[in-house]
Amino acid sequence: MYEDLINKKVLITGSSSGIGLQIAKSFSNSGSVVALNGRSRVNLKKASKSILNSKIVSGNVEDPSESKKIITKAVSLLGGLDILVCNVGSGKSAKPGFENYKDWQSTFKKNLFSATNIIEAAKKYLIKSKGNIICISSICGIEYIVGAPITYSVAKSALNSYVKMNSKILGNYDVRINAIAPGNILFKGSVWENKIKKNKKKVIKNLNLNVALKKLGTPENVSDICLFLASKKSGFVTGSLWTADGGQLKNLNK
């Protein structure tokens, strides 16, 4: 447990399910006060029941104006803002080679602008608290993954660059920003749950061929890194990209 996370005020976008929900639970279990965000108020209320004293802030972070409203409400509910986790994202897009204009627009909104919008809206509050930003990216933004949509990979690559470049600016205000790039993560409703249902043998074969640890990851594998990056234990870490992929990437410079 990280004692310095006790009473920290945390907003996690895209946190009504999956990795985002687990991140919210982990911060709450560490003594932080958390605000959940998503587009569906119904889903947020359901998720909030599993997290002690959590707040909910509905809204679409793909929209700049809504992002401002989300931050205003979150700051009001939490009494400030110390940590922002940008978790909204989706790998659903056209197959490689079949992209069109709408695919590019939609995918960049979900995987890049969903982070930049909320960060810009939250910046003044995080500067005040000398806070912390963590973006959930993907290994698809680091190197070519067979079958991964090009739109998604390029958007996540742009997010990784944004984190690195923005760290120079935010560092002037003692605000840290880092990213986590998960690999194949299994949770209820995930792509991998569906793949296992369709063809478990194929999934196992794929893992044995491409992942050093020969297994799927869990949301906890991501949230554990998130807590570390938000804590004082990583006080000299900013502009970095942390992979949690079981050894799938081949790039020596990752």
Side-chain angles (χ1 to χ4, degrees):
M1 185 171 179
Y2 300 97
E3 292 185 0
D4 60 292
L5 294 181
I6 295 174
N7 294 324
K8 288 293 184 181
K9 303 168 182 67
V10 188
L11 170 64
I12 306 102
T13 67
S15 49
S16 61
S17 63
I19 293 173
L21 179 58
Q22 181 56 51
I23 290 172
K25 288 180 178 178
S26 295
F27 272 109
S28 177
N29 292 339
S30 296
S32 301
V33 184
V34 302
L36 308 180
N37 162 258
R39 289 179 292 182
S40 171
R41 192 168 182 82
V42 173
N43 291 341
L44 287 173
K45 284 184 176 181
K46 183 178 179 181
S48 181
K49 290 179 180 179
S50 65
I51 304 175
L52 186 66
N53 297 324
S54 59
K55 318 295 182 183
I56 62 172
V57 185
S58 60
N60 184 5
V61 292
E62 295 176 32
D63 184 296
S65 60
E66 280 199 50
S67 293
K68 291 178 181 178
K69 293 177 182 178
I70 290 167
I71 289 298
T72 299
K73 185 171 182 180
V75 169
S76 176
L77 290 172
L78 297 172
L81 186 64
D82 299 304
I83 300 164
L84 173 63
V85 181
C86 305
N87 177 64
V88 171
S90 173
K92 294 180 180 179
S93 186
K95 292 182 180 180
F98 293 89
E99 307 84 9
N100 59 37
Y101 179 79
K102 288 184 178 179
D103 294 322
W104 284 104
Q105 290 292 312
S106 175
T107 305
F108 264 71
K109 279 185 177 181
K110 286 184 175 67
N111 296 288
L112 176 62
F113 301 141
S114 62
T116 61
N117 287 341
I118 201 74
I119 290 170
E120 291 304 315
K123 192 180 293 184
K124 65 179 180 181
Y125 299 103
L126 292 167
I127 289 174
K128 183 178 180 180
S129 64
K130 294 186 178 180
N132 204 304
I133 303 167
I134 301 164
C135 295
I136 307 302
S137 183
S138 168
I139 59 171
C140 294
I142 302 175
E143 69 179 44
Y144 175 66
I145 304 296
V146 176
I150 293 175
T151 53
Y152 176 68
S153 301
V154 174
K156 288 301 189 183
S157 179
L159 178 61
N160 297 342
S161 294
Y162 171 83
V163 168
K164 171 63 73 174
M165 296 176 185
N166 214 24
S167 67
K168 311 300 180 184
I169 306 301
L170 294 173
N172 293 325
Y173 305 98
D174 206 18
V175 174
R176 295 190 295 116
I177 179 170
N178 294 287
I180 303 171
N184 308 321
I185 307 298
L186 176 65
F187 55 86
K188 187 176 181 180
S190 68
V191 170
W192 287 100
E193 182 183 58
N194 293 330
K195 286 185 177 181
I196 289 171
K197 289 179 180 178
K198 289 181 179 179
N199 194 332
K200 186 175 181 179
K201 289 184 178 180
K202 185 177 180 180
V203 170
I204 293 173
K205 182 180 179 180
N206 178 55
L207 293 173
N208 288 337
L209 285 173
N210 298 304
V211 181
L213 295 182
K214 300 178 179 5
K215 63 181 181 179
L216 296 167
T218 68
E220 287 85 354
N221 294 144
V222 180
S223 65
D224 286 346
I225 299 174
C226 204
L227 292 182
F228 171 72
L229 290 175
S231 74
K232 291 181 180 178
K233 295 287 186 181
S234 63
F236 197 52
V237 178
T238 193
S240 70
L241 176 61
W242 293 59
T243 57
D245 68 342
Q248 182 174 352
L249 293 185
K250 310 298 189 295
N251 188 345
L252 294 177
N253 296 315
K254 68 175 182 178

